[in-house]
């Protein structure tokens, strides 16, 4: 409970509530009720204590109201509107991190005074990435503010990494913003790293660290530092189990850049994506591999992604799905085997079972595929779930590929929704999907015919237009 109780007033419960409310507002106070026999607290006056059962034991305590201060956030001028033509463009010199994959995601290095949020699951390697970034920076010392680990733990991590951090790394194990702010003032760092934003707090606020108001206040405090002093700030934020960035989500709109660091639990690769970037494209991804000596860049990502696949095996197609606004390439696997019992089995992992039934019916009726006497198992490799019609085409092609035991070319990505008539329907955000496929080293895309009109030319990417599932099968699996 914040605030000191100034006075204790015997509360006559019969005083008009409206009058009392008025007096309290004038005095800028609010109150709580305390049981005199057991110290039980209540927001309202009650006749009998629910805790100790004592009658008429509650007295009112007045808590003096705090002066609310509103702090400015974002940029603020001198209150003068200027014509657009009078605004000078100053080319912002960017600071290179020295890790090309990272620099590219940032849009070509760190912009002075920018605030970057780095989100990701616990244990994915955010602190490692920040430490490696700090090691590669030149110029004034970097201030690493740690709220989760001791300076000893940080030192231990640093010693495991390939490049030992320069002497110009200052460590500060602190979570209180009132203490951190003067330190920033004194040390004038070149870059500030806050690990993590959820642990930072301002003592004046009543809520606990990690709550929405504290996280927002901490982000605003670092925004002010960044904007007024021109120091770039990296805020590390944890994603909660549910997938939402509970704390950091509330600051996403405040910061300049949001980077998402993600990966598979059973794989060593990590993907750094720009989800939002005021200073660059959000189409960039950086791919890393976690080694025992830290993160290493993956210069040829397609190799990594195709590594898990058995090229030349039937029943496998790569599809380009979307995860919210982000494209995601996944492998769709199917296994079609003769039914040994009376009723054919259909089993799907990571894909809607009813959608699979529908696709099988379409294949049977519109493409003449006799799947009725076969068991069909489908699986989205990597343990993720895709519930998007755009993966229909890839799924159908995998089934046909397995049924006929003819592999589909490993450099091909299939994109398209299948309708009940066997037609291939257009999908949204085709450009992003194709761009992602190209980025990951694929050379051929099977697309709905109507989608290709809106698609700009991609050099080095062959496009195969299809209007029906029949055509797609003919072109990819053979007649
Ligand atoms: P960490 O950066 O602490 O993750 P986060 O800050 O996102 O919570 O490290 C994540 C994991 O990486 C941890 O389980 C240990 C492992 N790791 C390595 O495999 N190699 C290394 O060189 C380092 C520093 C960590
Ligand atoms: Mg960490």
């Amino acid at each position: 409970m914040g605030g000191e109780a100034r006075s204790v007033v015997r509360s006559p419960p019969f005083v008009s509530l409206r009058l009392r409310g008025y007096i309290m507002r004038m005095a800028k106070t609010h109150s709580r009720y305390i049981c005199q026999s057991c110290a039980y607290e209540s927001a309202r006056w009650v006749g009998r204590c629910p805790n100790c059962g004592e009658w008429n034991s509650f007295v009112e305590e007045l808590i003096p109201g705090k002066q609310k201060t509103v702090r400015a956030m974002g940029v603020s001028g001198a209150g003068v509107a200027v014509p657009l033509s009078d605004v000078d463009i100053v080319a912002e010199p960017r600071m290179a991190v020295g890790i090309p994959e990272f620099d590219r995601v940032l849009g070509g290095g760190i912009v002075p005074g920018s605030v970057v949020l780095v989100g990701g699951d616990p244990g994915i390697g955010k602190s490692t990435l920040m430490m490696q970034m700090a090691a590669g920076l030149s110029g004034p010392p970097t201030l690493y503010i740690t709220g989760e680990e001791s300076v000893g733990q940080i030192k231990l991590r640093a010693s495991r990494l390939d490049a030992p951090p320069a002497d110009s790394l200052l460590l500060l194990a602190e979570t209180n913003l009132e203490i951190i702010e003067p330190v920033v003032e004194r040390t004038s760092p070149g870059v500030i790293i806050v690990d993590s934003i959820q642990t930072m707090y301002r003592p004046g606020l009543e809520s606990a660290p990690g709550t929405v108001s504290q996280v927002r206040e901490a982000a605003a405090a670092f925004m002010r530092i960044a904007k007024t002093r021109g120091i770039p700030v990296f805020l590390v934020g944890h994603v909660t189990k549910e997938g939402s960035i509970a704390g950091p989500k509330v600051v996403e709109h405040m910061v300049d850049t949001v980077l998402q660091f993600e990966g598979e639990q059973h794989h060593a690769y990590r993907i750094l994506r720009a989800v939002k970037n005021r200073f660059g494209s959000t189409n960039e991804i950086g791919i890393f591999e976690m080694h025992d000596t830290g993160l290493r860049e993956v210069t040829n990502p397609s190799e990594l992604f195709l590594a898990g696949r058995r090229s030349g095996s039937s029943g496998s197609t790569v599809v380009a799905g979307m995860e919210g606004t982000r494209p995601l390439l996944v492998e769709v696997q199917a296994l079609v085997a003769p039914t040994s019992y009376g009723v054919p089995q259909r089993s799907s992992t990571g894909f809607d079972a009813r959608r699979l039934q529908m696709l099988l019916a379409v294949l049977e009726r519109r493409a003449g595929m006799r799947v009725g006497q076969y068991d069909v198992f489908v699986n989205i490799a990597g343990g993720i779930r895709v519930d998007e019609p755009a993966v229909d085409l890839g799924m159908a092609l995998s089934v046909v590929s397995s049924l006929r035991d003819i592999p589909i070319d490993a450099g091909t990505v299939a994109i398209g929704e299948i309708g009940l008539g066997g037609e291939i329907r257009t999908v949204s955000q085709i450009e992003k999907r194709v761009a992602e496929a190209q980025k990951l080293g694929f050379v051929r895309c099977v697309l709905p015919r109507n989608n290709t009109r809106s698609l700009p030319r991609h050099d080095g990417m062959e496009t195969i237009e299809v209007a029906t599932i029949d055509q797609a099968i003919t072109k990819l699996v053979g007649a």
Side-chain angles (χ1 to χ4, degrees), residues 127 148-149 195:
S127 304
E148 293 186 347
E149 295 162 303
D195 192 0

Side-chain angles (χ1 to χ4, degrees), residues 120-129 132 144 148-149 156-158 160-162 195 236 238 261 270 290-295:
D121 286 321
I124 204 78
K126 300 179 296 296
S127 304
T128 308
L129 182 70
Q132 285 183 253
Y144 194 117
E148 293 186 347
E149 295 162 303
L156 207 64
R157 174 182 297 109
R160 289 180 65 186
L161 300 177
D162 254 351
D195 192 0
V236 171
H238 291 299
F261 204 36
R270 305 277 183 269
M290 181 63 97
H291 289 266
D292 48 0
T293 52
L295 292 161

Side-chain angles (χ1 to χ4, degrees), residues 75-396:
V75 287
S76 178
V80 187
V82 289
L84 184 63
S85 54
D86 289 3
V87 179
D88 293 327
I89 300 170
V90 203
E92 299 269 13
R94 291 193 184 228
M95 218 191 297
V97 176
I99 306 171
E101 286 286 302
F102 195 178
D103 278 331
R104 205 157 41 79
V105 174
L106 285 171
I110 306 173
V111 174
S114 64
V115 180
V116 180
L117 175 67
V118 182
D121 286 321
I124 204 78
K126 300 179 296 296
S127 304
T128 308
L129 182 70
M130 289 296 103
M131 183 52 83
Q132 285 183 253
M133 177 189 80
L137 289 170
S138 51
T142 299
L143 180 63
Y144 194 117
I145 304 167
T146 169
E148 293 186 347
E149 295 162 303
S150 65
V151 290
Q153 283 172 299
I154 303 258
K155 171 94 191 195
L156 207 64
R157 174 182 297 109
S159 61
R160 289 180 65 186
L161 300 177
D162 254 351
D167 290 339
S168 61
L169 184 69
L170 301 170
L171 297 179
L172 174 65
E174 184 55 66
T175 53
N176 185 343
L177 291 168
E178 315 265 283
I179 299 175
I180 291 168
E181 279 158 352
V183 175
V184 171
E185 200 72 29
R186 263 203 316 278
T187 53
S188 299
V191 174
I192 299 173
I193 297 166
V194 182
D195 192 0
S196 67
I197 184 76
Q198 275 114 331
T199 57
M200 300 294 141
Y201 76 101
R202 186 170 302 279
L205 289 180
E206 276 177 36
S207 46
T211 53
V212 169
S213 50
Q214 284 287 9
V215 168
R216 203 182 279 149
E217 169 61 26
F222 287 108
M223 286 280 288
R224 264 194 308 279
I225 291 171
K227 301 300 170 197
T228 56
R229 304 174 60 97
I231 304 172
V233 177
F234 285 80
L235 305 174
V236 171
H238 291 299
V239 179
T240 58
K241 272 255 160 53
E242 298 75 44
S244 66
I245 319 182
K249 198 90 195 161
V250 301
V251 300
E252 273 192 6
H253 69 279
M254 295 159 64
V255 300
D256 300 307
T257 302
V258 179
L259 304 182
Q260 185 70 36
F261 204 36
E262 51 194 37
E264 277 274 342
Q265 212 176 4
H266 304 292
H267 293 95
Y269 66 84
R270 305 277 183 269
I271 299 181
L272 185 68
R273 285 173 197 275
V275 182
K276 162 183 174 180
N277 196 352
R278 284 187 183 144
F279 308 113
S281 151
T282 50
N283 286 328
E284 294 296 349
I285 60 172
I287 302 178
F288 299 87
E289 242 178 318
M290 181 63 97
H291 289 266
D292 48 0
T293 52
L295 292 161
R296 219 174 287 160
E297 292 178 274
V298 175
T299 40
N300 195 346
S302 57
E303 267 176 21
L304 179 74
F305 278 85
L306 296 176
R309 296 170 64 209
R310 283 183 52 220
S311 68
S313 71
S314 61
S316 155
T317 313
V318 175
V319 299
M322 295 294 293
E323 228 191 19
T325 58
R326 298 172 303 173
L328 182 75
L329 294 200
V330 288
E331 181 192 353
V332 174
Q333 300 175 323
L335 182 66
V336 181
T339 307
S340 0
Y341 306 102
V343 186
Q345 290 187 65
R346 273 91 179 81
S347 153
S348 83
T349 310
F351 186 75
D352 183 24
R354 282 206 265 173
R355 190 105 195 145
L356 173 65
Q357 301 275 15
M358 185 213 96
L359 291 176
L360 293 177
V362 172
L363 282 174
E364 182 108 29
R365 285 295 303 278
R366 309 288 176 190
M369 296 292 139
R370 300 276 162 248
V371 283
Q373 293 309 308
Y374 292 88
D375 291 339
V376 179
F377 305 93
V378 301
N379 175 39
I380 307 286
I384 63 153
R385 208 184 154 76
V386 281
D387 276 324
E388 221 212 341
V391 306
D392 286 354
L393 181 57
M395 181 62 77

